[in-house]
Amino acid sequence: MKNETKNLARENLTILLRRRSAAALCCVILTLIIAFYSILTGVGITVGDLGLNWSFSFIYYTMLSNLFAALSAAFVFPYTVEGVRRKRFVLPEWAAVLYYVAASSIAVTMVFVFAFMSWNYPEEAFGGANLATHVICPILIILSFFQTESGRIFTFRDRLLGAVPFGIYSIVYLVEVEMIGEKNGGLPDVYHVKDMISPYLALPILLILAFGVSTAVALISNRITKKRNKKTFALWSDDLDPIEVKIEAYGLGRAAGRHGDRTGIQIPYDILSSLAQRYGADPEELLKAFIKGMTNELKDRKKLL
């Protein structure tokens, strides 16, 4: 009976990881679709409503942040496909951070619209297609990011990186609008910053805003990740002895060999190390058990071919 319970735990873990992989794929595809929709809508507003050249669209941070979101999702997409194929979504740290920075940039767009533009320029904030590009699309992209389970706990350094795109844009905007000026070939004040506040006072406020938003996104993501990890390891009972823990690692290796390629099988070291920490086992011993299970599964598969 106990062996059946352990086998069921491994089976449920496989199903859980498979479902998470499929969810990541769907969320990244949704991000790509929404980001491209926002970009096309912005170009349509610029050309159709304002009668300007399409390139003028990209002086807006909304357009740049959506372009960044599309780019980051494009980098993540191949890993989601591999996750579905191998029954486990694994995202490199650099890709997870890139996706997070893009989501933070999109979130800053929405918060800026609500905090500043909505009070004095509600039509430009929410009128017509702007409601989709400033509110609906950012919300959907942010939710998609939260549902894409990278497994990374974002650090203080990551939060600083999350504020960098908006910080750079704010500095460039200040230089173009205030120091150079539209008459001298600089950018027009499309966000009406000078109408609301001194640009030199606005800059530190906007930098604080960007860091605050990136921090909020990181905290929410970290909390969701910790809950998911807790749910994952709740599949195992609390009374496993060291031998049973090794058997679990061996079973995970068999599952990895069953669903992976000989040319590139992923080792779930995060799961193995968490198992070791929870039950006081040696991580190296669990890794050996995993590799043995994976090797035996590959040998059995070879016999069947």
Side-chain angles (χ1 to χ4, degrees):
M1 183 68 178
K2 195 170 184 179
N3 287 335
E4 292 179 1
T5 302
K6 290 190 292 182
N7 291 336
L8 182 61
R10 286 197 295 269
E11 182 181 348
N12 287 340
L13 177 63
T14 301
I15 294 172
L16 179 62
L17 295 178
R18 185 187 303 127
R19 187 168 64 244
R20 289 177 176 177
S21 298
L25 176 61
C26 293
C27 289
V28 168
I29 291 175
L30 180 63
T31 297
L32 282 167
I33 293 173
I34 294 170
F36 277 116
Y37 168 79
S38 295
I39 293 170
L40 292 175
T41 301
V43 171
I45 293 173
T46 302
V47 176
D49 297 348
L50 302 179
L52 300 171
N53 186 280
W54 66 270
S55 60
F56 188 84
S57 305
F58 292 93
I59 71 170
Y60 292 93
Y61 184 74
T62 303
M63 296 289 286
L64 295 175
S65 60
N66 276 284
L67 189 62
F68 186 22
L71 180 64
S72 67
F75 278 116
V76 173
F77 178 74
Y79 296 100
T80 64
V81 174
E82 281 296 287
V84 170
R85 194 171 68 86
R86 298 185 179 187
K87 310 298 185 285
R88 187 178 184 228
F89 171 57
V90 178
L91 193 61
E93 288 190 1
W94 69 266
V97 172
L98 182 69
Y99 198 27
Y100 156 73
V101 173
S104 297
S105 300
I106 286 286
V108 170
T109 300
M110 183 176 64
V111 172
F112 176 83
V113 168
F114 275 101
F116 293 96
M117 291 186 65
S118 62
W119 296 97
N120 298 310
Y121 305 94
E123 184 63 27
E124 292 186 27
F126 308 122
N130 287 331
L131 178 63
T133 58
H134 287 161
V135 181
I136 298 175
C137 291
I139 288 175
L140 291 175
I141 289 176
I142 295 165
L143 291 177
S144 296
F145 165 74
F146 287 143
Q147 291 301 313
T148 305
E149 303 180 34
S150 67
R152 180 177 176 83
I153 299 297
F154 296 104
T155 63
F156 180 78
R157 174 176 171 272
D158 296 333
R159 299 172 197 178
L160 290 175
L161 287 175
V164 165
F166 188 73
I168 293 175
Y169 180 86
S170 299
I171 294 172
V172 172
Y173 190 89
L174 172 65
V175 171
E176 289 281 339
V177 171
E178 180 65 16
M179 296 183 178
I180 299 177
E182 185 177 3
K183 294 181 179 179
N184 298 318
L187 293 177
D189 188 12
V190 293
Y191 286 111
H192 307 288
V193 173
K194 294 171 67 175
D195 297 338
M196 295 182 285
I197 191 173
S198 167
Y200 297 103
L201 181 59
L203 181 60
I205 293 175
L206 292 176
L207 293 177
I208 293 171
L209 172 70
F211 178 73
V213 171
S214 68
T215 297
V217 172
L219 292 177
I220 295 172
S221 178
N222 291 349
R223 184 170 183 179
I224 293 173
T225 298
K226 290 176 181 178
K227 282 188 175 181
R228 286 169 179 157
N229 290 341
K230 186 176 180 181
K231 182 178 179 180
T232 298
F233 296 106
L235 296 171
W236 284 284
S237 60
D238 296 326
D239 57 350
L240 292 181
D241 58 44
I243 295 178
E244 289 175 325
V245 176
K246 288 184 180 180
I247 293 173
E248 290 300 305
Y250 178 86
L252 290 174
R254 299 280 305 197
R258 190 177 310 118
H259 299 298
D261 293 331
R262 292 180 177 85
T263 56
I265 293 178
Q266 297 169 344
I267 298 177
Y269 193 75
D270 54 340
I271 295 178
L272 295 175
S273 59
S274 295
L275 275 174
Q277 183 178 5
R278 177 173 179 179
Y279 296 107
D282 185 352
E284 292 186 8
E285 291 298 318
L286 295 189
L287 182 59
K288 291 178 182 178
F290 174 88
I291 293 175
K292 184 177 180 180
M294 178 186 68
T295 303
N296 289 342
E297 180 65 28
L298 290 176
K299 288 180 180 178
D300 292 342
R301 284 176 58 183
K302 188 174 181 180
K303 293 178 182 178
L304 295 174
L305 294 176

